[in-house]
Amino acid sequence: MKHADTTSFFLNDLEVHWFGNPVRPLVDLIRNEYELKGTKIGCETGECGACTVLVDGKPMVSCLVPTAAVHRSSVTTVEGLITKKNFIALRQAMVQHGAVQCGFCTPGIMMTLYAYMQNYEILNGNLDFALKNNLCRCTGYLGIKSALQQVLVEKEGSHSHG
Amino acid sequence: MVEKPFSPHDPNNKVNGTTAFIEDIAFPNQLVGGIKRSPHPHAKIISIDTSKAKEVQGVVTVLTADDLPTYPFGPTKFKDWNFLASDRVLFIGDEVAAVSGETKECVQQALELITIEYEILPAVYHPQEALSSTTILHQSANNNRPMHLQIERGDFENAKKQADVVRKGTYVINPIYQGHLEPIAAIAKWSKNDGMTLWAGSHIPYRARETYAAAFGLDEDQFRIIVPPIGGSFGSKYVLKMHLLVSALSKASSRPVKIVFDRKEDMITAHPRVPLNMEVEIGSTNEGTFVYKDVVVYADAGARIYWSPNIVATACTRPDGVYHFGSVRAEGHLCYTNNSPTTCMRGFGNAEMLFGVESVIDDLAEALAMDPTELRKRNIVKKGQTTIHGYQLDSCQLEQCIEKVKELSGWARRGHLPENHGIGIALGNHVSGFSAIDPRFDGSTAIVTLKPNGNITVQTGEIDLGQGLSQTYANIAASVLGIPSEMIEIQSGDTALHPFGVGTLASRGTVMGGNAVQFAAEEMKQQILKLVHEEWNGIGVFEAGEILIDGKRLSFADVADLYRTKRPGEVMVIKKTYTPNTELPDKTYYGHPSPNYPFAAHVAEVKVDTETGRVQVVGYWAVHDSGKILNFTGAKSQVIGAVAQGIGWVLMEELIVRNGQVLNPSLMDYRMPGAGDMPQIDVAFIEEPDPHGPQGAKSVGEIALDPVPGAIANAIANAIKKRGYSLPLNPQAIWGLIREQDDTNRRELS
């Protein structure tokens, strides 16, 4: 930490220091200071999930998170996941299962699915519960759930085959 | 294969978050815009004082009606729009002033500092009251009724006498919100040399351009609309006053201006599905042959006309393309009220009326002691027939849809279900484009270009909404040319660069735009054969992405090279227009308005918690006749998404409007279905090719929603032996129905 009032955190594995308003919504900072536009704004009241990011691996709606709350935490946006193996597998399955239509909710949904893949216990092992903070108006969710299930099965398979 | 340029419509890019929506786009020197809205449903404007707002640091422009043109305009023939209110405001949210400034904060402050003195006027909120009210919204409609539709076909009075059994009910569609995840947003950029450029999510950009150019008194070619990917619309983003106001703000400052609604502003002003009050009556013989149908519709247009007249006409006629009702009569009253203007949402009047019709048909089946599927099968339309309003059905697999959905759902279980479980069926139809949208032209144009690298670009005037249109067009062109769809890039959404298109509405994308793509790709194939014939004097053969001639195998890149040689410096560009064989409906709404008509049969199974009134959909089966399916993943996703929207509409959603005020303008208080609300859904397609569709296809988008309200409502009635007449059938409504003792008006089912 450089200054008592500075918020320092890791954003997609890079350490950043924010000297401005500590209660500025994290989504605003991510999009407008760090120009990471993959995190979308759908409601600004924590109901739609389009702005979901990972804070220490856990999905959170970044419109309701004041920047100071992620001090010393690790924040991951969709841009930080694009090259990850699990993300790529999920992306392919999402496209294959028709789980992407307009695409506005999709990056947020990917954050939740990715977190679920990494550690489903923090989401009670219940995908409907995990997705309760992500609205999708186009696809009816079933393709999203099938995509995740397929990737989980493939992952299990690859483990059992060493 | 050569790598394709970045496409924002590629689902991989949407997943990666690299697809830019309007809010993700910014221009240098861009201003923020905002709109001052009326807090009153109906009031006279005494004075507007903008002096304090103009003094706010950072504010660039403050506009009122005095600063703007006053040509009469509107997107339909009812020219009742304005830029800003000058003498009266007509609904809560009506636009009175517009502000641009350097920051969101200064714009917000300026909006609050605009002082408007109002004299409150009496307001009217219900269509039936509006008809006899002394409160008149527009002088052009002195009884508040801009449209009064009356249709009668056959010897109606005599047909009524043939009925042995009659069932009827008054069915109510309350306002619902389209629920697009991307809030409404637009950017405008005016310059004296280039005129106006508007980035907006309109999926009918050419009609929007015509409307907006008229409003400004500009030529159409001075008003360019660019459509970035749209984050959901479902009918809400066709044409909007905010598009005009952001343009006016840019014109005033000659700087780019962006407006992005927050969710509250979006929900108050996005204009809900047209609320309808529908009296539906159907008569049948004892043998189960329908002899007449009589409907009276009262529709709430709100304070201005968007697309409500078309929705009234659809509600009054479209279901007559599912069944032969014998003689039909319909009366539609479209009324101005002091509610926010209402507009379209997927289903467009047909899904609404089918809720009533399908409910009444189940009541008739009960009265006749017939299985609901049998009664339907006796009366449905069939291939080769012309319907009572003139639809020519050159393909129809509706009966097969019914058989298949019965099989998949285990329909025979009906009557043997656990307590408080119910199962219900409903049918639906739709169009694949509609000639009356634009009487001048209802087809589509495609431009196909063979690029030097051998890849193909297809330009269309139709708009990708995420429904899979780009993939469908790529599949069509790929199959004609015998190349992988990855070699084809679809371009659309710029009125200055791409061919004219009527737009993506009335489920017209696949058939109208698809036929144009098919024609253009076929013509390109002929031109390639002609070219190689000129060079080698043989007959070329398309095989595995190459052209075989004279013992040579030419790639598409070789053909592009040859073309450049033989037609010095040129690139092969083919432009083809599809003009469908439709007829414009006449003044009585008789005609053949669509190249073809999709059909569907849906079954829903529900479980009702009688203690709480909560209905859970536990199973859903959807069987569709959409002709040949060209994009299976996209079509299936459309159906599942539509069923989800239907579950929300029937069981959960209502935009609660009291005295013109939306009481629940947030996603917390307006709950839409989540992952946990979804049952398993089985989707099947009966793929009979239609002779008029591209490669045999018909539409999918709206037909997928049309049967949902009827199927769920019938399942609930089957479970609790009471019928709900007003959507939503939320826990409160169902709890009340179950406990309703005096059921004089609403006949109890046995």
Side-chain angles (χ1 to χ4, degrees), chain A residues 31 38 40-42 47-48 78 82 87 91 96 98 100-102 104 107 110 128 137-142 145, chain B residues 14 16-17 19 21 23-24 177-179 181 230-232 234 263 466 633 637-638 641 645 653 667-668 673-674 678:
Chain A
R31 286 179 53 88
K40 308 298 181 191
I41 298 177
E47 291 140 14
C48 79
V78 67
I82 286 173
F87 185 91
R91 180 177 69 215
Q96 193 187 327
V100 185
Q101 285 192 29
C102 85
F104 194 80
M110 289 299 286
D128 285 344
R137 190 59 155 171
C138 297
T139 70
Y141 305 98
L142 299 188
K145 288 157 77 167
Chain B
K14 291 177 175 177
N16 287 346
T19 291
F21 295 89
E23 194 175 5
D24 306 328
Y177 176 55
Q178 291 85 352
L181 262 282
I230 301 170
F234 316 109
R263 188 55 67 177
T633 307
S637 183
Q638 282 287 299
Q645 287 183 0
E653 298 175 30
L667 297 181
M668 181 76 84
M678 293 298 293

Side-chain angles (χ1 to χ4, degrees), chain B residues 260-316:
Chain B
V260 180
F261 283 174
D262 65 19
R263 188 55 67 177
K264 185 178 170 188
E265 188 169 17
D266 199 297
M267 293 189 76
I268 288 171
T269 67
H271 315 309
R273 185 191 282 279
V274 177
L276 301 174
N277 187 294
M278 309 176 295
E279 296 164 9
V280 184
E281 179 177 321
I282 300 172
S284 170
T285 66
N286 280 330
E287 291 72 40
T289 301
F290 298 157
V291 288
Y292 79 94
K293 165 173 160 276
D294 192 9
V295 299
V296 181
V297 174
Y298 295 90
D300 182 357
R304 237 167 246 125
I305 301 287
Y306 282 61
W307 304 95
S308 48
N310 316 53
I311 287 150
V312 172
T314 303
C316 287

Side-chain angles (χ1 to χ4, degrees), chain A residues 126-143:
Chain A
N126 177 335
L127 184 56
D128 285 344
F129 175 82
L131 284 169
K132 73 183 181 3
N133 288 329
N134 290 96
L135 286 176
C136 170
R137 190 59 155 171
C138 297
T139 70
Y141 305 98
L142 299 188

Side-chain angles (χ1 to χ4, degrees), chain B residues 151-156 159 291-295 316 320 323-330 388-389:
Chain B
I151 304 170
E152 196 173 311
R153 290 211 205 288
D155 185 350
F156 186 78
V291 288
Y292 79 94
K293 165 173 160 276
D294 192 9
V295 299
C316 287
D320 304 340
Y323 300 100
H324 297 293
F325 285 110
S327 182
V328 297
R329 185 167 75 177
I388 197 163
H389 300 305

Side-chain angles (χ1 to χ4, degrees), chain A residues 86 89-100 109-110 113 117 127 141-155, chain B residues 15:
Chain A
N86 280 350
L90 263 176
R91 180 177 69 215
Q92 286 165 348
M94 287 282 282
V95 173
Q96 193 187 327
H97 285 271
V100 185
I109 284 185
M110 289 299 286
L113 297 182
M117 270 190 86
L127 184 56
Y141 305 98
L142 299 188
I144 296 168
K145 288 157 77 167
S146 304
L148 179 75
Q149 275 146 11
Q150 182 193 310
V151 175
L152 288 175
V153 167
E154 283 167 6
K155 210 178 156 201
Chain B
V15 174

